[in-house]
Coordinates of all heavy atoms in Angstrom, one line a residue:
V13 N 19.6 -9.1 -29.2 CA 18.5 -10.1 -29.1 C 19.0 -11.3 -28.3 O 20.1 -11.8 -28.5 CB 18.0 -10.5 -30.5 CG1 19.2 -11.2 -31.3 CG2 16.8 -11.5 -30.4
N104 N 37.2 3.4 -25.4 CA 37.3 4.8 -25.0 C 36.7 5.7 -26.1 O 37.0 6.8 -26.2 CB 38.7 5.2 -24.6 CG 39.7 5.1 -25.7 OD1 39.3 4.6 -26.8 ND2 40.9 5.5 -25.5
R129 N 38.4 -12.1 -35.4 CA 37.5 -12.8 -34.6 C 38.2 -13.3 -33.3 O 39.4 -13.8 -33.4 CB 36.9 -14.0 -35.3 CG 36.0 -14.9 -34.4 CD 35.4 -16.1 -35.1 NE 36.4 -17.1 -35.4 CZ 36.8 -18.0 -34.6 NH1 36.5 -18.0 -33.3 NH2 37.7 -18.9 -35.0
G157 N 32.4 -27.5 -27.8 CA 31.8 -27.2 -26.5 C 32.7 -27.8 -25.4 O 32.4 -27.6 -24.2
S190 N 27.4 -19.2 -28.1 CA 27.5 -20.4 -29.0 C 26.2 -20.8 -29.6 O 26.1 -21.3 -30.8 CB 28.0 -21.6 -28.2 OG 27.2 -21.9 -27.1
M290 N 33.9 -2.3 9.4 CA 33.3 -3.4 8.7 C 32.9 -4.5 9.6 O 31.7 -5.1 9.5 CB 34.3 -3.9 7.6 CG 33.7 -5.1 6.8 SD 35.0 -5.8 5.7 CE 35.9 -6.8 7.0
D353 N -0.4 -5.1 -1.9 CA 0.0 -5.8 -3.2 C 0.6 -7.2 -2.7 O 1.8 -7.3 -2.7 CB 1.0 -5.0 -4.0 CG 1.2 -5.5 -5.4 OD1 0.7 -6.7 -5.6 OD2 1.7 -4.8 -6.2
K505 N -46.0 28.7 28.9 CA -47.1 29.4 28.3 C -48.4 28.6 28.3 O -49.5 29.1 28.5 CB -46.7 29.8 26.9 CG -47.7 30.6 26.1 CD -47.2 30.9 24.7 CE -48.3 31.7 24.0 NZ -47.8 32.1 22.6
Q510 N -53.7 27.2 30.5 CA -54.6 26.2 31.2 C -55.1 26.8 32.5 O -56.3 26.7 32.8 CB -53.8 25.0 31.4 CG -54.7 23.8 32.0 CD -53.8 22.6 32.3 OE1 -52.6 22.7 32.3 NE2 -54.4 21.5 32.5
V631 N -104.1 19.6 61.5 CA -104.9 20.8 61.7 C -106.3 20.5 61.2 O -107.3 20.9 61.9 CB -104.2 22.0 61.0 CG1 -105.2 23.1 61.0 CG2 -102.9 22.3 61.6

Side-chain angles (χ1 to χ4, degrees):
V13 59
N104 61 357
R129 174 182 70 81
S190 59
M290 181 189 75
D353 192 346
K505 184 177 180 181
Q510 185 180 18
V631 170

